[in-house]
Amino acid sequence: MRHLLSMADLKPAEIEKIFAISEDLKSKYEAGLREPILPGRVLALIFEKPSLRTRVSFESAMINLGGNSLFLGDDTGWGANRESLADFGRVLSQYVDVLVVRSHDHKTVEELRNYCTRPVINGLTDYEHPCQVLADLYTLKECVGRLRGHTLAYVGDGNNVARSLALGCGKLGVKFHMATPSGYRFDAAFEKLLRDDVPDLEITVTDDPAEAVAEATAIYTDVWTSMGQEQETAQRKRDFAAYQINEALLAKAPAGAYFMHCLPAHRGEEVTSAVIDGPQSIVVQQAGNRMHVQKGILAWLLSRAG
Ligand code: CP
Ligand code: NVA
């Protein structure tokens, strides 16, 4: 049985396999077909933070595939007022076939995974967002055909999305050029994981956004203040002020470079409306692909879960 907590959990060939399943199911979906390949299967969603894309795309994916999903509210969770993660995981695993968990602390999903006898999928933690990044790389592949050799420029916070992107780029031969203020870059433990897991990753890190985007096929950014960091908002606005993706920065990238964002976006902070709503933006395609690629993830994981 396999879990998906980190992009480090997947080998390149496994990502390609998930993409192939996703592509097949997406083309059928667009032709009006809802292939029921997971009949009777049940997905549980447990979310400690808000969500539109992750929650609804997983729920719709399960319904399209002939299964169903249960969104478990606050009255069903773990914690001091309720029960231990161990009891929660051992019991819930007997009722459902797969779990998607969005938690504040990555250690929560790691610990829960140890007690679950069903696959656990990370639906975003403070450390990684693998489902997002699989959809992002799938989307970029749709745009460029073959990913290897392209450059993704990431401008902004060295956060959960950035970590998963760096790992994903390393697996699929995409160069990762990062512009991030010092103090917001990857920590030493994650740099070690990158060296160990994707030793061939071509990565550059600078504090100059123009330098990062100079050769970019796509420019990616995320919010400056992630969920749970709201008390740092004022400081982060100051620290990231020079890292906004605007038309002036886009003009320093190769003509036609794509603009990417995981959403939700804070227009006027990390990106201007002119860019995110402009012709080079593929953010809506990214969000749409969350559902198609998660079908690929679900089908792939459940085919291995017995
Ligand atoms: N991108 C993403 O995960 O969005 P939600 O927070 O709406 O799920
Ligand atoms: N970095 C953002 C991503 C949201 C999808 C957050 O964690 O809030």
Side-chain angles (χ1 to χ4, degrees), residues 139-210:
T139 305
L140 192 56
K141 190 167 184 250
E142 284 185 326
C143 294
V144 300
R146 187 171 181 269
L147 285 173
R148 186 163 293 281
H150 283 281
T151 299
L152 186 87
Y154 180 88
V155 178
D157 189 16
N159 62 11
N160 42 12
V161 171
R163 288 188 198 94
S164 293
L165 274 172
L167 286 164
C169 286
K171 307 243 165 190
L172 299 184
V174 177
K175 296 172 209 160
F176 190 70
H177 290 183
M178 184 175 187
T180 303
S182 59
Y184 294 95
R185 294 180 182 172
F186 296 149
D187 62 19
F190 185 73
E191 282 181 352
K192 181 175 182 325
L193 175 65
L194 273 185
R195 282 195 301 275
D196 292 347
D197 191 56
V198 285
D200 297 331
L201 171 66
E202 292 184 48
I203 180 170
T204 64
V205 184
T206 174
D207 56 11
D208 179 3

Side-chain angles (χ1 to χ4, degrees), residues 8-115:
D9 292 338
L10 295 172
K11 298 185 181 72
E14 293 171 339
I15 298 174
E16 297 293 358
K17 178 70 186 165
I18 289 169
F19 284 1
I21 301 169
S22 307
E23 188 179 359
D24 176 53
L25 293 170
K26 181 175 179 178
S27 65
K28 286 176 175 146
Y29 181 85
E30 289 181 339
L33 300 173
R34 308 284 186 269
E35 201 171 27
I37 58 172
L38 299 178
R41 301 296 190 103
V42 180
L43 164 69
L45 300 112
I46 307 103
F47 280 42
E48 291 184 339
K49 310 184 197 189
S51 172
L52 169 66
R53 280 145 289 271
T54 308
R55 172 183 176 173
V56 181
S57 57
F58 263 115
E59 294 207 51
S60 293
M62 282 305 285
I63 294 167
N64 285 174
L65 297 178
N68 216 324
S69 66
L70 306 171
F71 186 81
L72 304 182
D74 289 344
D75 51 343
T76 322
W78 51 73
N81 295 331
R82 187 68 196 157
E83 60 187 317
S84 71
L85 265 176
D87 288 348
F88 182 90
R90 288 187 196 115
V91 171
L92 185 59
S93 295
Q94 299 180 94
Y95 305 146
V96 304
D97 299 284
V98 54
L99 291 76
V100 173
V101 182
R102 171 167 288 196
S103 64
H104 292 288
D105 189 342
H106 192 73
K107 290 190 186 73
T108 304
V109 279
E110 289 183 329
E111 193 184 339
L112 187 65
R113 179 246 339 249
N114 295 335
Y115 302 116

Side-chain angles (χ1 to χ4, degrees), residues 245-247 250 267-268 271-281:
I245 313 293
N246 50 36
E247 286 170 303
L250 207 55
R267 285 169 168 75
V271 61
T272 59
S273 294
V275 170
I276 195 168
D277 299 326
Q280 289 165 250
S281 175

Side-chain angles (χ1 to χ4, degrees), residues 49 102 124 129 159-161 222-223 225-227 262-264:
K49 310 184 197 189
R102 171 167 288 196
L124 178 144
H129 198 2
N159 62 11
N160 42 12
V161 171
D222 186 12
V223 291
T225 303
S226 285
M227 290 180 276
C262 55
L263 303 180

